[in-house]
Amino acid sequence: MCSSDLYSEHLGPIRAGILVMCLASPLFAPFGIAIASVTRPSNPVWRVAFHTQVALVAVGAVVILLIPVFWAVAAYRPGEISPEVTQSWNDAAWFGVLFTWPPFGLWCLVIAASVLLDRAPRLPRWVGYLNIWTAVLYTPASCMLFFKVGPLAQNGIITFWVPIVVFFGWMVAMST
């Protein structure tokens, strides 16, 4: 089934999901700012890490908002326009989900540096190491650019499931 058919046959639930994601996406910003505030190093030299985190959170919030926007465009006229157009917007949304890992990965590395290099950290050291591993495990998402089928494709176990599971696990760990 092509994505155009999927959008046409399940338009109501897809639009409802898009709306929920669009309404929830701004909540990423206070979540990220809270993390940046907790990991703000006491050493003035490392205060740039706080501002870097804030900037990366802003980029991440925009990325997270654009994903449902792309899906909304795909869901706007399914069946009325070429299926290739719907497929392209759907692909753009999935690229937004996975291929935009660099700002999130860099944010994790800045968090790790803030935690591990601070002389009076407010978080345990394992949080720093968790963030290093999280950044590393986001990188397989880049493979979607090169593969359309298999474990390295957009829906493959390595390219999709590893970064997605790691991201949501990281969110749970950082929330606690």
Side-chain angles (χ1 to χ4, degrees):
M1 174 183 293
C2 79
S3 66
S4 181
D5 294 339
L6 182 69
Y7 278 88
S8 295
E9 292 175 17
H10 304 286
L11 191 56
I14 287 173
R15 285 182 174 166
I18 291 167
L19 184 59
V20 168
M21 186 176 178
C22 192
L23 293 172
S25 64
L27 297 175
F28 182 77
F31 170 77
I33 297 301
I35 292 171
S37 296
V38 170
T39 60
R40 186 175 191 163
S42 56
N43 184 340
V45 174
W46 280 98
R47 294 244 168 101
V48 71
F50 170 78
H51 298 289
T52 303
Q53 286 188 58
V54 170
L56 291 167
V57 167
V59 170
V62 170
V63 166
I64 290 171
L65 178 62
L66 285 177
I67 295 165
V69 168
F70 293 159
W71 274 321
V73 172
Y76 188 61
R77 297 177 198 237
E80 297 178 33
I81 58 171
S82 163
E84 291 82 14
V85 173
T86 302
Q87 180 69 49
S88 293
W89 282 103
N90 185 61
D91 288 347
W94 282 109
F95 266 80
V97 169
L98 295 169
F99 202 69
T100 56
W101 67 268
F104 298 99
L106 180 56
W107 181 31
C108 288
L109 294 176
V110 174
I111 292 170
S114 296
V115 170
L116 296 174
L117 298 175
D118 195 5
R119 293 187 183 169
R122 294 182 226 168
L123 295 173
R125 293 181 64 75
W126 67 262
V127 171
Y129 296 116
L130 168 73
N131 277 276
I132 291 170
W133 277 108
T134 299
V136 169
L137 292 172
Y138 284 164
T139 61
S142 298
C143 295
M144 70 182 291
L145 182 62
F146 303 102
F147 300 93
K148 290 184 182 158
V149 295
L152 298 175
Q154 171 264 323
N155 59 352
I157 191 161
I158 295 171
T159 300
F160 179 79
W161 288 105
V162 168
I164 291 295
V165 168
V166 167
F167 176 75
F168 286 107
W170 173 84
M171 286 195 68
V172 168
M174 294 303 289
S175 295
T176 57

